[in-house]
């Protein structure tokens, strides 16, 4: 049960909380945008909902069966639209985020960003802190990378998303970028989720490689319950027995999550396949399936990339793909910005 | 190494076989459409290929690295087009096969078939022999079902595909239908594959729920090596940890298989998701990803279906979807026949 | 609900069946060893059970909640013991079945069999019909292999199990061997299961690589409902993302199946790991976990084996392992026959 | 290539590093216990190794093919023994760590600890910071829990392990406990691994639910390369399609990791199965397979546990199991301390 209160005075809120506790339920309070949202955890039913609806300061009461509460469609029927520096996820326009796996140098990131922008990318991606399987692999340019990201973002005028991997770095990363990415390996890094919830930045929450749909939405719930409602989900493939692709891109998760939740969902066919030849077909498939955006890896010289070269598109591949994507988007009643090429 | 011979005389073929054996390789011979195709298994190299190219009766020699030989793109660069009663898989038109999971009665199958046809379905599907997890579940109408399939196929003028599960029934099923389906559970039922290879009917080969791409193509190779080149592959989802959907539809398999093989590949989003709400989005995604056809379950009264009700579209759902699919097909430069509705 | 009748006369049986149908349930009848067992499928409850208990000819009525009926512990509380030529599975002695993956020649199979027997193997295994991923791989010696199996079985006095892959070959294979194996790929080959159910031989039913516990027990139910109660289950590994081993041996399935079912369960660490170094530790683990037997691949010259060499123990490995296994068996209150060595 | 130097002077170390860089390799230096270990990443060969062997200060040079270097058997042939407050992992004695999933109160943890000790547990476990799928679930007693852990550890004289989930809490947790646990969800939380590597405490590194063997050893490499050699690995089950158990305990990982690495490996059959009925059989199986220890959840009142009740043993279950385990350990030439009961 979720009780939405409109700028309640302290006494009104206290009365709601008391009543929740009297029923043996546990209240959880979030305040955002003038609303106070109280989630009551435990067995609720329609009768109990009605009791709360009559209390002073209560705007509406929603009975939510799902384990995730604030993330559920039951709580909010209409789609959430998440805005990142003017780029909107969840509306009729389908934004494409493009960029290299890792920021390797100012020159490399700038060249990629210009090519991305020329072909219609709405946002940039690029990693400064790279979670790598081996301690001996390139770990990212770290602070130097963040500075490059901010500079190139300002030069191109495109918002930028980058991954944050350490709760201690959340503030720093938030200062340099427009959107914080929680990577797949950190989807259930709850210390990080709690810190990011407080960071005042929109969040791109990737699905973990072994995470079920419900666990993914519960990770989003950590962000929402922590006071951050600007959450965009990203399907990037799950781990299965199939080794012919890097991951198995579970595209059915896109329409399923949109049925269960009001949050926007985008797809990452680069990590989802690990093979640049498959990125184009799966990007088109994602838009056809209803994805609210795409996250694509491009690199000016993939064969020299310090990470993820095999799955990176060249600027020329990307330009062609954007044209194809705009036709698919039109076929499902949406639009993708299609640049004039780089 | 594959040696293609053009109507060789016995002495010419014998000489090729002898030479293969002298090299310590093992020959495998298939004859179809006037060509004799000899596959030599073992370590081959370019030098050896050239030795064979000069022998009498030899048309061309192809060095194939993949474990599957006749199914590989290395052997045949251009797409195979498989024709089933005039319906072509692998060309510019994307055929949709529709029908109920199981044939339950003449009335049910006929109503479904008419609705399917009215909305643009190119072929019918319907099961007479149903592989069921429980021995106590409905096992299909069996011979009675085959008779219904043939009758309704003739009445509607649409070719029909049905599953065969027993090598002893291959002849009987082949008499009643236009295309034989090897179900997912039987993808590695080699006794069945060998029998179906001889049946003189095109084959729809579903991917097994635990089968890797290479194993799937090796199953196709059983059919090709057995003399049947009219093979259509069908992605229908693999088994993963995710239980929110019945299977995980591995759509990346579509472009990957088309890269590795010349055989047409279609998708089955009904079994691939197990949830009718997801069938439409994933059908569109499949066409966007390059699928050469679709296999869809429809039922006039899904809530009363004897099997697979939850994943079946109603005729009205199907009619709407066909319109949407035709737009997606156009966006990727193909066409889907879009009926006037039922 | 399962109704056990003791040699009922026709009228008594008919009355039970009528009453089942009147309740809207569907009866399924098996007769074995003088008992007639009627399984009623559908919603039953305790009241209904009691109604049947009073009918003439009815010995007992059991309410079974599980989807598998005759295979469940609810139906039969005590362990089933399956005897194969005097070797008993499910009792205090833990039989070890050993032999090569494939019968390659009389000499190879005889040498393996003598070594196996000398070290305490209770039964022999060896494949004559081999299901192989590639049509170009060795497919087994087929009928010649069966003859070798029978000869060597007689010479050593050990019962033999071999795989049957084709319903048309069930009679032939049953004539030559003491136990029929349903391989992992055929666990849901229902045409084969139905034929094997009639063959009058004990059955070794391997778990499919993508089969859940319940699906495995449902496959056993096909055999039991077909009139064959001599079923031994064999855990041989499932397919997971982990590729460091050939399969993931799911040993927890052993105690879980023994909790859910009365059927004996053995383990196959050879296929379960695909690596001879791991076979010994996992064989010991299986006995410690409560397995009712082991299936082990041994080969006199593993490096020359026509299939599965990497997972085969040498006779010397096997002899040593049998000594170690006998100590583990003793530690869990059971015994393993430990030979004097080969 | 790994170059072990015995207390080198600065000039000697510099010369080695220069030479590594001249070869186009990248050096990584760790110093521990008077030794300086330089790992050179990149293509090495035997010739190059010999060049380094002759340099001043170099004790030995080891060529390691595996991706993990310091963790590999190639680098260190003999088993590592990790001591935690006198409890040794990797030797002939097999320590059992027992305790509740979460510390719920002083009374609960003390009662559990006394029962565990009475039955022969060598160490205690108990969570103060709980990573929970839902933000609304009990998240642990946090600092209060740490204080309870320290108190009860001192009262019983048993070393204690607890999970740390946040790099900012590593120092605090290290002050209160004898061993730090990296939980399964955090196996690739590299910020946490790097911090824990510096903490001066032995580490229990659980395998991630979607982590392959090599990725797990690479996570250990983060700890070793960070200067912490006291690493114990813990197999706790992987995520597969099978839902009849909470995870699939991959026991073959135990002998496989011991073949590939010198680090001790223990097993957690509580999380590995999620079902107390299966914990005993799988604990015995783990010891039979060669596990260097066990991690078991026990709770005085499992039905009231705030988390993981269904997989927790009662003190009485545990007492009985310890007796059974001591017999299995003896059968594989090891010992388990077997208490007089609680």
């Amino acid at each position: 049960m979720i009780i939405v209160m409109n700028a309640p005075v302290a006494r009104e809120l206290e009365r709601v909380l008391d009543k929740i506790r009297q029923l043996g339920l546990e209240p959880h309070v979030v305040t955002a945008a003038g609303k106070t949202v109280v989630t009551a955890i435990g067995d609720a039913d329609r009768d109990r909902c009605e009791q709360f609806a009559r209390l002073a300061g209560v705007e509406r009461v929603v009975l939510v069966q799902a384990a995730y509460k604030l993330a559920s469609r039951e709580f909010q029927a209409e789609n959430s639209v998440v805005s990142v520096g003017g780029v909107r996820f969840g509306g009729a326009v389908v934004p494409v985020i493009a960029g290299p796996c890792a920021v390797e140098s100012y020159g490399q990131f700038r060249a990629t960003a210009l090519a991305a922008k020329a072909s219609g990318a709405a946002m940039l991606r690029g990693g400064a802190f790279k979670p790598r399987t081996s301690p001996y692999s390139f770990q990212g340019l770290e602070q130097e990378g963040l500075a490059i990201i901010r500079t190139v973002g300002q030069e191109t005028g495109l918002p930028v998303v980058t991954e944050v991997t350490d709760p201690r770095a959340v503030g720093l990363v938030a200062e340099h970028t427009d959107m914080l990415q929680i990577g797949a390996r950190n989807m259930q890094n709850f210390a990080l989720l709690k810190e990011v919830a407080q960071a005042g930045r929109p969040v791109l929450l990737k699905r973990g490689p072994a995470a079920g749909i419900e666990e993914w939405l519960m990770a989003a719930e950590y962000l929402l319950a922590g006071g951050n409602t600007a959450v965009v989900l990203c399907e990037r493939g799950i781990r299965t027995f199939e080794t012919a692709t890097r991951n198995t891109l579970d595209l059915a998760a896109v329409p399923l999550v949109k049925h269960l939740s009001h949050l926007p969902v985008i797809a990452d066919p680069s990590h989802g396949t690990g093979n640049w030849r498959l990125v184009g077909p799966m990007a088109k498939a994602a838009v056809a399936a209803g994805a609210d955006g795409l996250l694509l890896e491009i690199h000016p010289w993939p064969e020299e990339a310090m990470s993820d070269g095999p799955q990176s598109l060249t600027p020329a591949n990307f330009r062609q793909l954007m044209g194809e994507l705009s036709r698919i988007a039109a076929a499902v009643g949406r639009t993708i910005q299609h640049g004039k090429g780089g």
Side-chain angles (χ1 to χ4, degrees), chain A:
Chain A
M1 181 170 48
I2 303 176
I3 298 144
V4 181
M5 305 184 74
N6 195 352
V9 297
R11 198 171 38 84
E12 289 169 346
L13 176 60
E14 211 42 61
R15 186 150 173 221
V16 164
L17 298 180
D18 281 351
K19 197 167 173 59
I20 287 172
R21 292 193 194 96
Q22 282 165 22
L23 291 169
L25 307 179
E26 196 181 339
H28 177 93
V29 182
V30 198
T31 299
K35 305 280 182 181
T36 294
V37 179
V38 185
T39 306
I41 306 303
D43 282 337
D45 57 30
R46 204 148 294 280
D47 284 355
R48 289 177 166 186
C49 281
E50 283 170 19
Q51 295 172 25
F52 284 91
R54 293 188 217 102
L55 296 183
V58 170
E59 189 176 291
R60 64 190 177 105
V61 183
V62 191
L63 189 62
V64 175
Q65 302 293 349
Y68 38 91
K69 303 293 177 192
L70 304 171
S72 74
R73 266 284 174 212
E74 294 168 280
F75 172 57
Q76 181 183 317
E78 68 277 15
N79 286 342
S80 281
V81 175
V82 173
S83 179
V84 185
V87 175
R88 289 159 54 86
F89 293 86
V93 179
V94 179
V96 176
I97 309 171
C101 176
V103 175
E104 298 169 15
S105 68
Y106 171 71
Q108 170 253 15
F109 192 56
R110 187 168 183 272
T112 312
L114 292 175
K117 185 177 182 179
S119 294
M123 265 183 72
L124 299 178
R125 61 151 290 154
F129 297 94
K130 300 300 306 170
R132 300 302 299 276
T133 301
S134 167
Y136 308 122
S137 297
F138 174 59
Q139 308 270 318
L141 295 183
E142 306 187 347
Q143 294 213 26
E144 184 191 342
L146 289 179
I148 293 172
I149 286 169
R150 184 160 60 178
T151 303
V152 172
Q154 288 167 348
E155 289 173 1
T156 55
L158 297 184
V160 182
V161 59
T162 200
E163 180 169 358
V164 59
T165 61
D166 187 330
R168 296 165 300 189
V170 169
L172 178 71
V173 176
E175 280 169 31
H176 287 75
T177 57
D178 303 280
M179 186 181 211
L180 299 175
Q181 177 181 312
I182 304 282
R185 289 181 180 92
N186 283 312
M187 191 200 85
Q188 291 191 318
N189 181 339
F190 302 116
L192 184 63
L193 289 172
K194 287 173 184 172
E195 197 69 32
V196 166
Q198 311 286 334
R201 284 272 181 245
V203 184
L204 185 62
L205 178 65
K206 289 197 147 191
R207 180 181 181 185
I213 299 288
E214 184 170 311
E215 291 161 321
W216 189 18
L217 291 173
M218 291 305 276
E221 190 80 9
Y222 266 92
L223 297 167
L224 298 172
N228 191 333
T229 58
V231 177
V232 176
L233 300 166
C234 179
E235 163 64 32
R236 47 74 72 197
I238 56 173
R239 189 149 201 186
T240 72
F241 68 83
E242 178 58 78
T243 56
T245 44
R246 182 173 176 180
N247 290 288
T248 296
L249 189 67
D250 180 16
L251 270 192
V254 170
L256 182 53
V257 165
K258 292 194 75 64
H259 177 63
L260 299 172
S261 174
H262 53 86
L263 297 173
V265 190
I266 72 170
D268 172 355
S270 303
H271 286 88
T273 65
N275 179 340
W276 71 270
R277 287 176 197 281
L278 308 179
V279 170
M282 294 311 284
K284 289 186 271 184
V287 173
D292 293 312
L294 290 170
L295 186 65
L296 296 175
E297 285 191 358
I298 61 176
H299 196 286
W301 321 283
E303 65 288 347
E304 294 172 23
M306 297 175 79
S307 60
D308 284 356
Q311 73 195 33
S312 294
L313 299 177
T314 63
N317 298 148
F318 179 64
R319 188 171 56 241
Q320 184 188 333
L321 176 59
M322 289 296 282
E324 296 171 11
L325 287 171
S326 68
R327 291 193 285 281
I328 298 284
V332 293
R334 302 178 86 171
T335 55
I336 281 186
Q337 188 182 341
H338 174 208
K340 302 301 177 298

